[in-house]
Amino acid sequence: MLNLRRNMPALVVTFLSLTTASAPAHAETVMSTSTVPTEVIEATAPADPALDRQLDALLGRERKAFQAVSGKRIKRLATTPRSSFGTPGTIKVSYSRDWIDGQPARKGGAEWACLAEALYFEARGETVKGQFAVAEVILNRVKSGLYPGSVCGVIHQGTGRKYQCQFTYTCDGYSDAIREPAAYSRVGKIAWLMLNGAPRALTAGATHYHTNAVNPAWARKFPRTARIGVHSFYRHPRS
C-alpha cells in the first residue's frame, strides 16, 4: 500500500500533521489519495476562524505543490509498487539445457512476460547459464534503487528513443515477433525460476552487460564482475 506521508509533498505532510494535532479527541480524520483536502469531522466543537484561515492558506499551497508534480509521476507513485520476488536461493537450479528442458512449462503475469521477452531477444543464443546471468542483471537493477522499480520498467527504460534504450531490442527498429517457440519456452522457464527464488550468484550483483564483440565506454568505468558465454558483466559503483 502506498505510504501517503512518505510520497506526498512536504506541504501536504505539514497539513496532515496540523489537522491531526488540532482535531479534538472525538473527531474522525478521513484521508484520501485524491486532491480533495483531508476532512476533519467534528460532532460538537465550534468552528475556529483563525484555524480555518490557516488551513485555507495551507490548502492553496498544497494545490500548487501538486500542480508542480507531473501527472505521470503521480500515476507511477500511486499504481506501480516496486516488484517483489521470491527470496533468492530458495529454489535450486541446474545451469544445463537438459535440466531446463525437463522442467514443466511456466507462465506468469506481466513481470514474467517482460522478463521472458527480454531473455528471448537478448540471450536466446546464449548458454542456459548465460540466460540466467542476463536475468540476474535485470532483477539486480529492479532492486538497486537506481533504476525503475519493476521488471517491465527496467526493460523498457528509454524505449521510444532509437538506440537510447537500456535493452537494444526495445529500440532497434526490428520486429519483436517470437519465431522460435522452443527457445521462448526455455527462457520462460528461466524467467519463472528467477522471479520465484532461483539463486542470483552468477554475476556478483551486476547491473550491466555487453557482448564481447563490443567495448562500450561505460565498461571502463564500472568494475567487471564476470564473463559468461558471449557476455561480460559489470556492477554500477553505487549499486
Side-chain angles (χ1 to χ4, degrees):
M1 182 176 180
L2 180 65
N3 186 324
L4 294 175
R5 283 185 180 272
R6 184 185 64 198
N7 290 289
M8 282 186 175
L11 285 173
V12 183
V13 174
T14 301
F15 169 61
L16 291 175
S17 300
L18 178 60
T19 56
T20 303
S22 301
H26 59 272
E28 176 188 359
T29 302
V30 182
M31 187 158 59
S32 168
T33 56
S34 72
T35 56
V36 177
T38 299
E39 181 181 357
V40 177
I41 304 173
E42 299 185 4
T44 58
D48 184 339
L51 179 59
D52 286 345
R53 287 193 296 271
Q54 191 174 7
L55 292 179
D56 285 343
L58 284 170
L59 285 171
R61 283 181 283 174
E62 175 201 356
R63 293 189 186 96
K64 289 182 180 179
F66 270 117
Q67 290 170 358
V69 180
S70 71
K72 288 183 179 180
R73 173 68 173 166
I74 292 174
K75 183 177 180 181
R76 185 165 62 250
L77 288 173
T79 63
T80 309
R82 297 191 72 83
S83 295
S84 178
F85 312 128
T87 303
T90 55
I91 294 178
K92 293 183 179 180
V93 302
S94 175
Y95 301 118
S96 74
R97 179 168 291 193
D98 287 344
W99 185 85
I100 284 291
D101 288 347
Q103 299 303 302
R106 299 290 190 179
K107 289 187 177 182
E111 299 280 79
W112 170 85
C114 286
L115 185 55
E117 180 187 84
L119 294 178
Y120 177 85
F121 289 110
E122 291 282 309
R124 71 181 181 276
E126 259 281 16
T127 63
V128 166
K129 186 176 183 180
Q131 291 168 353
F132 272 99
V134 170
E136 275 190 28
V137 168
I138 293 168
L139 300 192
N140 288 342
R141 283 194 171 205
V142 174
K143 290 296 186 182
S144 73
L146 301 174
Y147 303 94
S150 69
V151 172
C152 296
V154 163
I155 292 169
H156 293 286
Q157 185 178 14
T159 298
R161 295 175 294 160
K162 192 169 185 180
Y163 301 120
Q164 296 298 311
C165 52
Q166 298 295 301
F167 293 85
T168 305
Y169 85 93
T170 68
C171 64
D172 60 8
Y174 293 106
S175 170
D176 291 341
I178 293 172
R179 297 187 174 90
E180 299 177 36
Y184 183 70
S185 175
R186 186 175 297 118
V187 297
K189 297 174 187 180
I190 293 172
W192 187 92
L193 289 165
M194 289 299 295
L195 290 172
N196 285 277
R200 247 182 276 168
L202 293 174
T203 67
T207 53
H208 292 68
Y209 65 88
H210 65 76
T211 68
N212 294 329
V214 300
N215 185 26
W218 56 259
R220 296 189 287 273
K221 302 175 184 178
F222 296 173
R224 187 170 64 199
T225 61
R227 276 187 174 178
I228 300 173
V230 299
H231 288 113
S232 292
F233 296 84
Y234 301 79
R235 184 178 62 252
H236 194 292
R238 291 191 286 115
S239 65

